[in-house]
Amino acid sequence: MLLIPAVDMKDGRAVRLKQGKADQQTVYDADPLHAAQRWFVPGVKRLHLVDLDGAFEGQPRNRTHTLRILAALSKNVEIEIGGGLRDASVVREFIAAGAARCILGTKVLEDRALLAELAKHHPGKISVGLDAKNGKIVTKGWVQTSDIIATELVRELASLPLGEVIYTDIDRDGMLQGPNLRQLEAMRKASAFPLIASGGVSTVENIRACRDLGCFGAIVGKALYDGALELSDALRAAGN
């Protein structure tokens, strides 16, 4: 299973939020590139890069930092990018710059035709980020809750040539309380694509549980930054 360190960007800095709330942030590095380089070690095969301002505002706001990170690291480690990717030209720019995956979230609900077009032209490079609360999809930087059930939505996408599905339980994100294993298992059974767990993964036991569920990867953020989880231990638990 892939162990995927996260780098979340807000106002040009590397931060972590609690439950996706913009007013509950911790700044970890003044330069997102430095934060990304911190996790560039043997065994780490992919980094998870998110533009939080982009997620809230609907278009990338940390584009310069994203391109700097891609230029510096993408030849040696896969980088998946999310946050405000709601325009085809931005997706194409990041893929051309070296992104291994571009993650669409809100746009999956708003414009299925665009998702299908991007997946067709970039097979395997477009992933879907499904962020949920009580199993229901939330959008626009986690501020709008829909009535759409995550497991039902992922079944509707089965015919598209997508990369992976990233499932985030927002009640667990940044809380160090462990992932929602029950919902992850339901998602794994519903998804035709490899599943990446996100939200609350904070111990080696959490990582092993995600691995044992059959997850393709697990994203870890706050626990690594706070030192609650050592990267070497996390990689061993994932089998890297």
Side-chain angles (χ1 to χ4, degrees):
M1 184 181 75
L2 289 180
L3 192 287
I4 310 172
V7 179
D8 291 355
M9 301 180 292
K10 190 172 187 301
D11 300 321
R13 301 176 295 181
V15 307
R16 294 299 294 171
L17 305 183
K18 287 185 177 180
Q19 298 178 320
K21 297 175 181 176
D23 60 349
Q24 295 189 35
Q25 73 173 26
T26 301
V27 177
Y28 286 103
D29 202 305
D31 187 344
L33 175 57
H34 292 162
Q37 289 171 326
R38 178 178 177 181
W39 310 123
F40 179 48
V41 301
V44 173
K45 299 175 183 177
R46 187 181 296 188
L47 297 175
H48 181 74
L49 182 62
V50 177
D51 185 334
L52 293 173
D53 296 306
F56 290 123
E57 299 178 33
Q59 57 182 309
R61 294 300 186 189
N62 293 275
R63 175 178 167 276
T64 299
H65 295 290
T66 297
L67 292 173
R68 285 175 63 229
I69 291 170
L70 287 172
L73 301 178
S74 65
K75 290 183 179 178
N76 298 297
V77 64
E78 291 186 346
I79 298 176
E80 58 186 32
I81 297 172
L85 301 188
R86 301 173 200 173
D87 183 273
S89 63
V90 175
V91 172
R92 294 187 184 111
E93 178 186 25
F94 287 160
I95 290 176
R101 303 283 188 279
C102 281
I103 305 162
L104 272 63
T106 295
K107 208 64 178 176
V108 174
L109 273 64
E110 295 180 345
D111 193 343
R112 194 72 58 82
L114 176 62
L115 175 67
E117 177 191 350
L118 287 170
K120 177 182 177 181
H121 285 91
H122 307 283
K125 288 184 173 291
I126 305 300
S127 290
V128 168
L130 299 183
D131 306 330
K133 183 180 178 69
N134 297 321
K136 294 184 177 180
I137 299 293
V138 294
T139 62
K140 300 186 184 299
W142 298 0
V143 297
Q144 292 187 13
T145 303
S146 74
D147 290 324
I148 299 172
I149 305 299
T151 51
E152 294 178 0
L153 176 58
V154 78
R155 290 189 183 98
E156 295 175 9
L157 303 176
S159 64
L160 298 178
L162 299 172
E164 294 105 22
V165 168
I166 300 168
Y167 181 81
T168 303
D169 187 303
I170 69 170
D171 282 336
R172 304 294 183 103
D173 194 69
M175 302 302 290
L176 303 181
Q177 295 178 350
N180 187 332
L181 296 174
R182 183 183 218 174
Q183 190 63 26
L184 280 172
E185 184 173 16
M187 285 294 297
R188 186 190 59 75
K189 291 178 179 179
S191 177
F193 311 102
L195 179 67
I196 296 177
S198 175
V201 180
S202 54
T203 67
V204 293
E205 289 79 15
N206 295 161
I207 294 167
R208 290 189 188 116
C210 290
R211 182 195 64 195
D212 292 345
L213 275 178
C215 291
F216 177 75
I219 294 169
V220 185
K222 185 176 176 60
L224 291 176
Y225 286 93
D226 285 352
L229 178 64
E230 290 294 330
L231 182 56
S232 57
D233 294 336
L235 288 168
R236 278 194 297 271
N240 299 149

